[in-house]
Amino acid sequence: MVEEDFHTPIYIIEPSMSQSRKKPILLPHRLSDDVLFDVLTRLPVKSLIRFRCVSKSWYSIITKPIFINTHLDEVKSLSNNNNNCNNGYLLCNPQPRYAWSSRDLCTVVCNSDHRLTEISRFFELPFHSARVVGFCNGIFCFAGEEQFIHRFWPILEIYLWNPSIRKFKMFKATPYTTPYVSVTLGLAYHSQKRDYKILRIGCFKEQPPVAEVYTLSSNSWRKFVVSVESLSPSGGSVTSIVGQSFLFFNGSLHSIAFIQGYKFILSFDVNDEKFREIILPQNYLDGLVLISEQLVVFKGCLALIVFVNTQDEYIEECHIWVMKEYGIVESWKVTKQIVPLGDVTSFFDCTKSGELLITAEIYPVQIYSFDPESLNVNYLSRDYEPKAYTANLMESLVLLNE
C-alpha cells in the first residue's frame, strides 16, 4: 500500500563503536528532500521502477521530468567512466534453429575478446519486424511496416521503445499523396530543451522535398521546407537522400543526399532546426566502382565507409574517410585496405574501437568483425541477426510518463 508521508524512514546500517559487538546497529534516519532526490538519482533503473511503490511522495519524485533528466545525466557520467569495458552492443533478432522468423528481440554485448554475450531478451514485441531508425539515451526508434491505403499513400507507424522500463509509444506519420523517391527518418536528442525529435524527409518526383519534425514533449508533427545553401552548380532542391535512416552525431542528423547529380552530406541541426551542407572528400570515387557507402561514427569522428572495386583488377577495397575536425572539409583523411572476405558479405556498422561489423548474406546470418589496422577477421556469431548497433546501451527513465 502506498504511504502518504514524504519522509519515509530510511534505515542506515552503521557499525557499533564497540569492538566486541559484531552486529550492526540499525538507526532510523529521515532524509531531507534534497538528499533523498540525490540518493535516488544514483540508483539503477530497475530499482527506481520498484521504489515508485514505496510511497506517493517517492512516486512523485521518480516520475517528475526534472528527476528523469537528472538521472539521465548521472547515467551518462557513469557510462563515460566505464566506456572501455566492452566494444558496444547489438540489438538483434535471435535466429531460431528450427524456424525462419522470430517475434523476439534481444540485446547482446560485444566483448573485447570478440565474443557476444546475450544480456536481455524481449518476447512478442509488436514491432519485431520493423526497421530500426536510431538509438538515443536509452530509447530505440522503429519504423513499422507500411500499410497501404493506396499505391503511393503509405501509413507509417513509428515506435519509441525503452527496453529498460519495457515501455513503448506508437504514433503515425501523415501519409504521402504523391509518388515519392525516398523517405528517410532519424531520431535525435534536443540537448537545449532536453527533448526528443524525429526527422522525416520525403523526396518526390515532381515537387520539392518535405521535412517534418515530431517532438515528443508536444506529441505533434510540424512541417517545413528543406532549404540548404549548397555548392551545387545546378542549384535547386534536394532530389533524393541515400538510405532510410539518418546518423545522429554532434547534435545533428546526417545523410548522403543529391541535388540532381551533385552529391553531398545533408545535416540537420536539431537545436536550431537548420539544414547545412558538409562537402564530401574530393574525387573520392575517381577510377573506382562503388559497391556501397555509409556514414558512421569512427572513433569519435564523422566518417564515410566506402566499399569499392578497382576497375582494373576488381579487387574489393574498404576506404575509411574520417573527418578529423567536424565540418572542416580539409580535415578528411583516408585509410585504404583490401577486404579479405570475398563478395558474400555486407557492411553493417562500426564499433567504437574502429572495427567494422560485417554480415554474411546467408542463412543463418553470420556476423564478423574486421579490424582495418591489423586486417584481422574475427567470427562473432550465427545465433543473432543484427538490427542495430550502439556504442553505449545506457538505461534511462525516458518514456516513463508516456
Side-chain angles (χ1 to χ4, degrees):
M1 184 174 180
V2 177
E3 301 174 3
E4 293 286 353
D5 182 18
F6 178 87
H7 299 286
T8 304
I10 307 294
Y11 289 91
I12 301 176
I13 299 178
E14 298 182 353
S16 168
M17 297 296 294
S18 172
Q19 298 295 328
S20 61
R21 295 186 61 183
K22 296 183 179 180
K23 292 184 179 181
I25 300 175
L26 298 180
L27 299 178
H29 291 267
R30 295 186 181 275
L31 301 181
S32 67
D33 298 3
D34 292 341
V35 172
L36 180 60
F37 185 97
D38 184 64
V39 170
L40 291 177
T41 58
R42 300 171 188 271
L43 297 180
V45 167
K46 290 182 180 179
S47 298
L48 292 172
I49 295 300
R50 295 198 307 270
F51 290 167
R52 291 180 301 170
C53 301
V54 171
S55 69
K56 288 185 177 180
S57 57
W58 280 39
Y59 180 91
S60 176
I61 292 174
I62 294 170
T63 56
K64 285 182 178 178
I66 188 173
F67 179 87
I68 294 174
N69 289 329
T70 305
H71 180 266
L72 179 62
D73 293 338
E74 290 288 341
V75 171
K76 285 183 176 180
S77 176
L78 181 63
S79 175
N80 291 334
N81 294 332
N82 298 330
N83 60 0
N84 293 322
C85 297
N86 56 60
N87 205 14
Y89 302 83
L90 286 169
L91 179 69
C92 303
N93 275 129
Q95 298 196 97
R97 299 187 182 278
Y98 303 105
W100 289 87
S101 64
S102 172
R103 292 186 59 86
D104 305 339
L105 286 174
C106 65
T107 51
V108 297
V109 59
C110 303
N111 298 294
S112 55
D113 60 358
H114 298 102
R115 292 184 302 106
L116 299 184
T117 303
E118 184 174 325
I119 56 177
S120 59
R121 183 171 293 207
F122 311 92
F123 300 96
E124 298 295 321
L125 295 172
F127 43 85
H128 68 97
S129 59
R131 63 181 176 87
V132 179
V133 171
F135 175 84
C136 184
N137 291 347
I139 60 173
F140 286 94
C141 179
F142 292 81
E145 293 180 329
E146 296 174 340
Q147 303 173 7
F148 288 89
I149 59 177
H150 185 274
R151 183 179 179 184
F152 301 115
W153 297 6
I155 298 178
L156 187 63
E157 295 179 339
I158 299 176
Y159 299 86
L160 292 175
W161 177 52
N162 185 336
S164 301
I165 60 176
R166 308 218 169 194
K167 289 190 69 173
F168 71 90
K169 177 183 178 67
M170 189 275 284
F171 50 93
K172 295 183 179 181
T174 306
Y176 295 136
T177 58
T178 56
Y180 60 86
V181 176
S182 62
V183 179
T184 310
L185 296 100
L187 171 68
Y189 178 60
H190 188 173
S191 59
Q192 294 180 1
K193 294 188 176 181
R194 313 205 69 155
D195 204 354
Y196 297 84
K197 295 182 178 181
I198 295 175
L199 173 67
R200 179 195 187 206
I201 298 183
C203 295
F204 306 90
K205 293 181 179 181
E206 300 177 356
Q207 67 184 52
V210 175
E212 301 165 282
V213 171
Y214 172 87
T215 304
L216 180 61
S217 60
S218 64
N219 191 31
S220 62
W221 290 91
R222 290 179 294 109
K223 184 180 295 186
F224 53 95
V225 177
V226 180
S227 176
V228 56
E229 294 184 2
S230 172
L231 297 179
S232 169
S234 60
S237 302
V238 174
T239 51
S240 65
I241 297 177
V242 178
Q244 296 180 312
S245 302
F246 289 98
L247 172 71
F248 182 57
F249 173 73
N250 200 39
S252 297
L253 291 164
H254 305 79
S255 186
I256 298 174
F258 285 88
I259 298 178
Q260 302 301 330
Y262 175 72
K263 183 161 64 171
F264 64 102
I265 298 175
L266 177 68
S267 72
F268 175 76
D269 190 308
V270 179
N271 290 318
D272 63 16
E273 294 191 343
K274 290 185 178 180
F275 290 95
R276 294 179 174 86
E277 176 192 27
I278 297 178
I279 300 175
L280 287 164
Q282 187 175 11
N283 301 323
Y284 72 100
L285 291 177
D286 278 2
L288 302 170
V289 178
L290 177 64
I291 299 174
S292 66
E293 58 185 346
Q294 184 174 326
L295 293 175
V296 299
V297 178
F298 184 85
K299 295 184 177 180
C301 297
L302 180 66
L304 176 66
I305 307 293
V306 185
F307 284 85
V308 296
N309 274 337
T310 58
Q311 291 183 346
D312 296 332
E313 301 179 3
Y314 294 97
I315 298 175
E316 187 169 336
E317 294 182 349
C318 174
H319 296 182
I320 304 175
W321 289 89
V322 179
M323 180 171 267
K324 297 292 186 179
E325 296 181 52
Y326 180 75
I328 307 300
V329 64
E330 292 80 11
S331 69
W332 283 112
K333 304 296 180 184
V334 65
T335 298
K336 300 181 181 181
Q337 297 291 358
I338 295 177
V339 184
L341 293 175
D343 56 357
V344 294
T345 59
S346 61
F347 173 69
F348 178 70
D349 213 321
C350 178
T351 70
K352 61 185 178 183
S353 66
E355 294 184 358
L356 308 186
L357 294 175
I358 299 175
T359 58
E361 298 174 347
I362 57 176
Y363 185 85
V365 175
Q366 298 181 7
I367 309 174
Y368 298 86
S369 67
F370 169 64
D371 188 335
E373 295 183 358
S374 66
L375 301 184
N376 290 333
V377 178
N378 293 282
Y379 169 77
L380 301 182
S381 175
R382 65 175 182 177
D383 296 326
Y384 307 100
E385 181 179 359
K387 295 177 71 73
Y389 169 84
T390 177
N392 190 347
L393 192 66
M394 67 177 66
E395 295 186 341
S396 75
L397 296 170
V398 179
L399 299 183
L400 184 61
N401 295 327
E402 294 296 326

